Amino acid sequence: MGAVILSPGFEPFDPKVREEYRYGEFQNVVTSMDYERLLSSTGPYQGEILRASDTRHPHKVAWIQCVGSRQVIEGGNSYCSAVCCTYAQKQAILTKDHDATAQCTIFHNDVRSYGKDFERYYQRTENLPDVRFIRSYTTIVKEDPITKNVTVRYSTTDEGVKEEEFEMVVLSIGLNPPKDAQELAKKYGIELESHNFAKLNPINPMETNREGIFVSGAFQGPIDIPESVFSASGATSQIGELLDSRRGKLTKERIYPEERDVSEEEPKIGVFVCHCGANISSIVNIQDTVEYCKTLPNVVHAQNQIFSCATNSAKEITDITKEKGLNRVVVAACSPRTLEPLFRDTLREAGINQYYYEMANIREHNSWVHQKEKDLATQKAKDIIRMSVARACHLEPLQEFDLPVDKRALIVGGGIAGMTTALSIANQGHEVFLVEKENDLGGIARKIHYTLEGLDVQAYLKDLTQQIYKHPLVHVYTNAAITQATGYVGNFLTTVKSDRGVTDIKHGAAILAIGADVYTPTEYLYGEDDRVMTHLELEEKIAAGDEKVTGAQSLVMIQCVGCRNEERNYCSRLCCSESIKNALLLKERNPEMDIYMLFRDVRTYGFKEDYYREAASKGVRFIRYEPTDAPVVKPGKSDEGKPVLKVTLPDYVLGKKLELDADIVALAAAVLPSAATKEVAAQFKVTLSPDGFFKEAHVKLRPVEFATDGVYLCGLAHYPKFMAETINQAYGAAGRALTLLSHETVVASGSVCEVDEDKCVSCGACITACTYGAIEFYESPKGRKAKVNPVLCKGDGLCNTKCATNAIMLKHFTDEEVISEIDAAVSDEEIMRQIDTAVGES
């Protein structure tokens, strides 16, 4: 049996299909894709934002949202393209970076900042000087024949219809299905949905109608980069289930050249300075920096690279290292957090020990924080590189070592995310321990009865749970609590107290899928009046056929309850669609019911936009409010004397207060991090986001992994998401965990601590400082001494800083290496000059 993953990219919407956009007619009307090219250092003006009409910098720029999206007109798409609001904000920020005095205006319908940290990003953009967000439809009216400026017509609630001239207009174009979608569908025998994206299984959004053919990325629909990444990993995990019997049969071990001993050679350093597109080169004078590098001691080669992380650039580093006999390499680019393994690999390919590599961070530590000080930023880049070169001279070769991998997995959390991950791993022959704090599996999904798309959640949940209990390799622990978690990647030991008693579980990987909680409102009379309920409670009453709800004459839904505020500065992502789902269910049962949804922004992104439109067409009324003038709920009586809840809020169009009579008020309560999140994070030594959800290793490149090796995440514990997105990520986490579990060994870093027993006085300060339990006392011939277990050591150096006798050394960060870097920061002449100045002033 074979398998296929279809992952064609989206096709940008072509605004030429609609004459009113004037694209191709007016020179200074560009698409967002055009604007991306203008921002790129490889673009037409080397990263400068210039107008095509006169190659001048535009000072006043407008973005028009939803071009080709949220439209039911010929040539448009009815769905929301999901990414445009955030990329427009990004472009506005970058425009302000290029020109701090630039005036940026974003015309929008709703600002859909629904993703993780997106709300903060929106606020960051909104708070920049001379940045405006205007909620209005627009018309591009005319182009000035002399200046080539473009006039846009729009409306406001306070000033009515206005016309305003802009020097450039950016069309935020949406995402069309892949251009060859129909051809691919015909070729592989798969079905497409109504918008010409792949038609997917609602309980497995990577699975097509044909066995063995999966989709990921843009072919699933309009999705962002993190979702694309974990859907790709998830699709590979499912293919692993099909092809598990052939795992490892066709792989070849990568053979590196024999390592050359250069420890006795004089340092011969090569420096590679990266443009990083415009991220560095738009601020730092790269060529001047390269020429400076050539003057530094022990530097025998220096050059620039557009993207040092590109495949051709990495190969160039390897080739030049061989050709010029380099024995040290410094790459001046970004943070080592993501790309250090790649650059170390270039040295291995050249036959040099990888620890002879040093990274100078001239992006995060320089260009990104000194955007308005180009000359000083260039000088700082030189300083940082000079320090890195000095440190590189003292680097020593280190050897990594292999650790055995326990083939079993522990999954914390028995909701849909945890169970999906468990089955995918178990189906590939690995034993799984599934730990759930409640008596029953299912998590928050036990309170959900339907999806917006019509899936019977309880039937799906029942089937999923049965699969778990029937699988011979899945061991379930309910009413469970983790009392201790120790170990390291490939070899963890977790103690679980459950109905089975106390169990020590050995496992090679851990997946944290502990779910989330729901906010208990303290506003809008919740808990005081039983006519006020949360949206989940409303759904349960609808499913139960509660006549009080289904027979109500009027219902008011209030969105953003408990989030998008100072205490919880994030969007809960699910609530708008959850409310629309409930509204449609009620309209189906009681078409005459008056339903009002009070919103700040309706965030029905992707295909959920079609349901928003359906709700509006069935008479659901959508009324916007601002947090500074939120709705007020009070008990009262209708004109007929019937007891009701009086909901008052402003109408910005009419310019007066509205008063709605409601039999039921439903609150879209925020999704909160699980109460157990902090405890579990401490046990598994993982970090949390500012909002208290688990923090992934990299928001785009590693969205299902923690910085702690061997520990993965998925589901609501990562951030609020829909069931299909949760399943996507659950399979993605399984795929990443299996990458580890499918190997016999895992490589441990050579940068670990070591104790000089002659200096150790057995004070125990290092043992107290180490959060990984990597140091313990042992009886040596010299008495009781501290000893580091290199397998457990993470190389954070905390013990090193605590040791009063300097008995602990962190390899790759020795005193000699660090002090040489410090000494290079400031020249001896500069130090003496400052001393002389200080003496003279005294």
Side-chain angles (χ1 to χ4, degrees):
M1 176 183 286
V4 175
I5 298 176
L6 300 179
S7 189
F10 66 83
E11 184 73 15
F13 174 78
D14 183 1
K16 289 181 180 178
V17 303
R18 302 293 305 176
E19 291 182 2
E20 62 265 30
Y21 293 129
R22 305 297 182 95
Y23 181 67
E25 179 184 353
F26 294 171
Q27 284 184 282
N28 295 318
V29 174
V30 302
T31 70
S32 47
M33 298 292 283
D34 297 332
Y35 205 76
E36 286 287 331
R37 290 302 301 149
L38 290 175
L39 291 166
S40 173
S41 62
T42 60
Y45 305 116
Q46 291 75 51
E48 292 291 324
I49 304 171
L50 302 178
R51 304 196 321 166
S53 62
D54 51 20
T55 62
R56 286 194 310 106
H57 289 277
H59 181 69
K60 192 174 182 181
V61 184
W63 280 260
I64 297 178
Q65 299 304 106
C66 302
V67 174
S69 303
R70 303 183 68 184
Q71 299 174 334
V72 288
I73 57 178
E74 186 178 354
N77 296 309
S78 64
Y79 55 81
C80 165
S81 288
V83 299
C84 318
C85 287
T86 303
Y87 78 54
Q89 294 165 31
K90 177 198 73 174
Q91 290 178 346
I93 289 173
L94 292 174
T95 301
K96 295 290 287 184
D97 288 344
H98 281 74
D99 176 6
T101 65
Q103 298 174 16
C104 301
T105 302
I106 298 177
F107 294 103
H108 65 94
N109 297 322
D110 298 283
V111 178
R112 293 189 164 170
S113 299
Y114 58 85
K116 192 172 187 178
D117 293 327
F118 282 13
E119 185 71 13
R120 282 190 173 83
Y121 199 71
Y122 167 35
Q123 292 169 358
R124 172 187 168 189
T125 312
E126 190 178 32
N127 292 332
L128 289 171
D130 296 319
V131 171
R132 295 180 296 167
F133 283 81
I134 299 178
R135 186 187 297 269
S136 175
Y137 289 105
T138 59
T139 302
I140 296 175
V141 179
K142 61 184 177 181
E143 177 187 68
D144 188 295
I146 298 174
T147 65
K148 302 299 181 183
N149 291 347
V150 179
T151 298
V152 175
R153 182 184 297 140
Y154 61 96
S155 65
T156 63
T157 55
D158 51 351
E159 298 181 71
V161 177
K162 300 178 65 175
E163 289 189 358
E164 189 171 348
E165 193 173 85
F166 294 91
E167 295 170 41
M168 181 178 282
V169 172
V170 183
L171 305 176
S172 293
I173 56 174
L175 313 182
N176 280 356
K179 194 172 184 178
D180 55 352
Q182 292 190 2
E183 183 182 336
L184 276 172
K186 183 178 179 180
K187 183 176 181 179
Y188 288 97
I190 65 170
E191 297 177 10
L192 301 179
E193 50 79 64
S194 60
H195 299 294
N196 271 343
F197 291 92
K199 185 176 182 179
L200 304 174
N201 183 342
I203 60 173
N204 185 346
M206 290 148 285
E207 187 178 73
T208 67
N209 60 292
R210 192 171 171 199
E211 186 181 6
I213 297 182
F214 302 91
V215 298
S216 66
F219 206 15
Q220 291 184 319
I223 59 176
D224 206 351
I225 293 173
E227 287 79 10
S228 295
V229 172
F230 54 66
S231 70
S233 180
T236 60
S237 182
Q238 294 186 71
I239 285 180
E241 294 181 34
L242 294 175
L243 305 180
D244 183 57
S245 61
R246 301 183 65 182
R247 188 184 299 276
K249 302 286 179 65
L250 301 176
T251 58
K252 294 182 180 179
E253 184 180 357
R254 189 175 182 182
I255 305 298
Y256 289 96
E258 185 177 352
E259 194 172 289
R260 180 163 61 94
D261 183 4
V262 300
S263 58
E264 300 301 320
E265 296 179 8
E266 285 295 314
K268 295 176 66 177
I269 301 172
V271 180
F272 298 86
V273 184
C274 180
H275 287 246
C276 196
N279 282 290
I280 297 173
S281 63
S282 63
I283 308 299
V284 174
N285 186 326
I286 298 295
Q287 195 53 47
D288 186 35
T289 303
V290 169
E291 293 304 315
Y292 172 77
C293 291
K294 294 177 180 177
T295 68
L296 295 174
N298 299 303
V299 173
V300 299
H301 177 79
Q303 70 169 82
N304 69 304
Q305 292 180 314
I306 302 299
F307 288 102
S308 294
C309 58
T311 302
N312 61 317
S313 298
K315 185 176 184 304
E316 184 180 42
I317 294 173
T318 297
D319 292 343
I320 289 175
T321 301
K322 292 178 181 178
E323 177 188 329
K324 297 188 176 289
L326 305 179
N327 54 29
R328 309 282 194 285
V329 169
V330 174
V331 176
C334 55
S335 163
R337 180 181 172 194
T338 302
L339 294 174
E340 186 174 61
L342 168 69
F343 294 124
R344 283 183 172 178
D345 199 62
T346 62
L347 269 69
R348 294 187 70 186
E349 290 284 1
I352 303 296
N353 186 280
Q354 61 181 311
Y355 287 91
Y356 282 125
Y357 163 77
E358 170 68 8
M359 198 157 191
N361 187 348
I362 61 172
R363 190 180 73 177
E364 283 86 343
H365 290 177
N366 189 26
S367 65
W368 278 3
V369 291
H370 300 295
Q371 295 163 346
K372 307 296 184 292
E373 306 163 296
K374 294 187 177 183
D375 290 341
L376 291 175
T378 299
Q379 182 55 52
K380 184 176 178 180
K382 295 175 183 178
D383 294 342
I384 292 172
I385 295 171
R386 182 177 67 250
M387 294 164 67
S388 293
V389 167
R391 169 176 152 79
C393 291
H394 300 281
L395 294 177
E396 298 174 351
L398 300 176
Q399 297 304 319
E400 298 181 332
F401 50 97
D402 292 338
L403 303 173
V405 173
D406 189 306
K407 300 289 188 173
R408 295 169 289 188
L410 172 77
I411 298 173
V412 185
I416 285 179
M419 288 192 285
T420 301
T421 306
L423 286 173
S424 187
I425 294 174
N427 285 340
Q428 297 178 61
H430 295 272
E431 204 170 354
V432 175
F433 303 93
L434 182 61
V435 177
E436 167 56 42
K437 65 180 179 180
E438 303 289 346
N439 185 59
D440 298 311
L441 299 177
I444 202 169
R446 296 204 307 273
K447 299 181 179 180
I448 301 172
H449 296 268
Y450 320 96
T451 65
L452 188 54
E453 295 77 14
L455 174 71
D456 184 335
V457 175
Q458 294 307 304
Y460 163 64
L461 193 59
K462 181 180 179 181
D463 178 66
L464 186 65
T465 305
Q466 287 176 348
Q467 289 182 58
I468 286 289
Y469 280 110
K470 288 179 180 178
H471 205 295
L473 293 179
V474 179
H475 310 287
V476 180
Y477 296 77
T478 53
N479 293 319
I482 293 174
T483 58
Q484 187 178 30
T486 60
Y488 49 91
V489 57
N491 292 271
F492 294 102
L493 177 62
T494 301
T495 303
V496 175
K497 183 179 180 182
S498 70
D499 292 338
R500 299 183 177 200
V502 177
T503 310
D504 288 333
I505 299 173
K506 293 181 179 180
H507 53 102
I511 297 95
L512 306 185
I514 63 173
D517 294 334
V518 179
Y519 172 65
T520 301
T522 58
E523 53 269 76
Y524 302 121
L525 301 182
Y526 183 81
E528 301 174 35
D529 192 312
D530 63 4
R531 293 171 293 179
V532 181
M533 59 194 70
T534 67
H535 50 2
L536 281 180
E537 292 167 346
L538 175 65
E539 180 175 346
E540 289 191 283
K541 290 180 183 295
I542 294 171
D546 189 329
E547 181 62 27
K548 178 183 175 183
V549 169
T550 59
Q553 290 183 338
S554 176
L555 180 143
V556 172
M557 299 172 167
I558 303 176
Q559 301 304 110
C560 302
V561 177
C563 62
R564 297 188 70 190
N565 54 28
E566 288 186 12
E567 185 177 358
R568 298 177 197 89
N569 194 12
Y570 59 88
C571 167
S572 288
R573 186 175 183 139
L574 313 168
C575 314
C576 289
S577 296
E578 169 72 11
S579 293
I580 287 173
K581 176 187 73 178
N582 287 337
L584 288 171
L585 288 170
L586 288 169
K587 277 292 186 180
E588 184 181 317
R589 289 160 172 75
N590 183 359
E592 302 305 315
M593 184 186 296
D594 291 323
I595 301 177
Y596 303 89
M597 181 168 161
L598 314 185
F599 70 96
R600 290 173 60 185
D601 295 281
V602 179
R603 291 180 168 174
T604 46
Y605 60 93
F607 298 146
K608 291 174 175 57
E609 178 71 13
D610 292 334
Y611 297 96
Y612 173 22
R613 186 174 293 102
E614 181 186 349
S617 71
K618 290 184 175 180
V620 178
R621 298 179 180 95
F622 294 84
I623 305 172
R624 183 172 63 88
Y625 75 90
E626 294 292 341
T628 52
D629 202 353
V632 176
V633 179
K634 292 182 178 179
K637 291 189 176 182
S638 68
D639 293 341
E640 295 78 22
K642 173 187 173 183
V644 294
L645 292 167
K646 294 282 187 180
V647 182
T648 308
L649 76 160
D651 185 301
Y652 300 106
V653 177
L654 299 177
K656 64 179 184 180
K657 289 282 186 178
L658 288 179
E659 186 177 80
L660 306 173
D661 290 351
D663 297 319
I664 302 292
V665 171
L667 308 180
V671 178
L672 308 183
S674 169
T677 302
K678 288 185 179 179
E679 181 183 2
V680 173
Q683 289 171 331
F684 288 91
K685 301 174 180 62
V686 298
T687 55
L688 303 179
S689 73
D691 298 314
F693 294 97
F694 285 136
K695 182 176 178 59
E696 64 276 56
H698 191 287
V699 66
K700 287 182 167 57
L701 303 180
R702 299 172 64 193
V704 297
E705 300 169 63
F706 286 106
T708 302
D709 294 335
V711 187
Y712 308 88
L713 73 159
C714 60
L716 296 178
H718 168 246
Y719 190 70
K721 53 180 63 68
F722 290 98
M723 189 179 299
E725 295 168 333
T726 291
I727 295 167
N728 244 348
Q729 193 179 25
Y731 276 113
R736 295 306 302 153
L738 284 159
T739 301
L740 166 65
L741 298 177
S742 62
H743 289 85
E744 297 298 326
T745 60
V746 63
V747 177
S749 171
S751 180
V752 294
C753 291
E754 190 174 61
V755 176
D756 183 344
E757 294 185 357
D758 290 334
K759 296 181 179 179
C760 178
V761 295
S762 305
C763 67
C766 57
I767 296 175
T768 304
C770 183
T771 58
Y772 299 97
I775 310 175
E776 59 184 5
F777 284 128
Y778 87 109
E779 291 299 326
S780 76
K782 301 175 182 178
R784 193 174 73 154
K785 301 292 180 180
K787 184 178 181 180
V788 176
N789 181 344
V791 172
L792 296 178
C793 179
K794 295 296 180 184
D796 62 8
L798 188 58
C799 59
N800 194 5
T801 64
K802 291 287 187 180
C803 182
T805 61
N806 201 27
I808 295 186
M809 174 192 73
L810 174 57
K811 296 177 182 179
H812 201 56
F813 294 92
T814 64
D815 289 352
E816 187 178 29
E817 290 164 359
V818 175
I819 291 172
S820 67
E821 198 169 7
I822 295 170
D823 289 343
V826 183
S827 66
D828 292 342
E829 293 79 5
E830 177 64 19
I831 293 173
M832 292 306 299
R833 188 186 67 77
Q834 292 184 15
I835 292 174
D836 291 341
T837 301
V839 171
E841 290 176 352
S842 62

